[in-house]
Amino acid sequence: MTPVRIITLAAEQKSADVTHWAARAGWVVGLLLFVALLYWLMREGWKWRGTLQGDLPELPTAPDAPGEPTLTMAGRYHGSTTSGQWLDRIVAHGLGTRSKAELTLTEQGVGVVRPGARDFFIPAAALRGARLESGIAGKVLPEGLLVITWQHGDKTIDSGFRSDRAAEHTAWVEAISTMNSTTEGAR
């Protein structure tokens, strides 16, 4: 092929002009409306779940004098579920909001400070145990989570936390288990 022939072929190949702008715009608008509808339905489902869990009492707040910290941990709060049912997320009172978290274990209990979300406190008498799990509330982490089980009203709750340093999890499990056995002995 000669260079003139290649240039001619390149000049002849041209894509067709788009003539159906209205149809394309209609499809795009329809798709955006569909996505907005799905988002709205998910939001309404979340609010409905919170309404169904309205019988859950208000979360305890930290005492004025919580005592000397035994352990501290910085990381993420991944959510709370009904104990033993890791997909039954609890959303009432902000327990369904994932956020950064700072945990402090004292002889009074576990303080959970969450910037941008509602803080709460787990009294020592309410602690039922702690364990390592791979997931909670639809969130699975291969490195694992610290799951603290506690009693709130008539509901037993599992709350999942992930430390910035996963090696801390074992110390928390041991400390809460020790605290729990001491508290049960006092009951």
Side-chain angles (χ1 to χ4, degrees):
M1 262 187 173
T2 64
V4 174
R5 177 73 177 141
I6 294 173
I7 293 172
T8 306
L9 286 176
E12 291 176 9
Q13 293 179 353
K14 182 178 171 188
S15 61
D17 290 334
V18 178
T19 57
H20 303 290
W21 283 106
R24 289 179 191 244
W27 277 104
V28 169
V29 168
L31 181 63
L32 290 176
L33 288 174
F34 179 71
V35 168
L37 174 68
L38 287 178
Y39 175 76
W40 180 79
L41 288 172
M42 290 187 324
R43 186 171 177 267
E44 290 300 309
W46 186 267
K47 286 172 32 182
W48 178 248
R49 180 175 280 272
T51 302
L52 291 176
Q53 296 168 349
D55 62 338
L56 193 68
E58 282 294 320
L59 297 174
T61 57
D64 293 333
E68 195 65 31
T70 306
L71 287 172
T72 59
M73 178 173 81
R76 294 202 56 86
Y77 168 75
H78 285 282
S80 292
T81 64
T82 302
S83 183
Q85 301 176 12
W86 75 288
L87 290 177
D88 185 21
R89 181 187 292 269
I90 296 174
V91 301
H93 306 299
L95 287 176
T97 306
R98 291 185 177 144
S99 61
K100 289 185 177 183
E102 295 176 6
L103 275 68
T104 305
L105 178 66
T106 66
E107 62 184 29
Q108 299 288 322
V110 179
V112 181
V113 176
R114 301 186 303 156
R118 192 170 178 185
D119 300 343
F120 62 96
F121 183 77
I122 305 171
L127 288 171
R128 297 295 179 258
R131 65 188 183 281
L132 300 177
E133 290 283 339
S134 61
I136 191 167
K139 181 71 172 181
V140 177
L141 296 169
E143 304 89 22
L145 292 167
L146 168 67
V147 176
I148 298 175
T149 303
W150 54 293
Q151 189 72 34
H152 185 56
D154 61 350
K155 189 177 281 265
T156 305
I157 298 173
D158 286 339
S159 294
F161 303 93
R162 173 76 180 141
S163 174
D164 291 338
R165 294 178 298 279
E168 295 178 333
H169 291 172
T170 306
W172 275 82
V173 170
E174 291 171 3
I176 290 175
S177 297
T178 303
M179 178 183 256
N180 191 31
S181 63
T182 305
T183 306
E184 285 180 359
R187 286 186 215 165

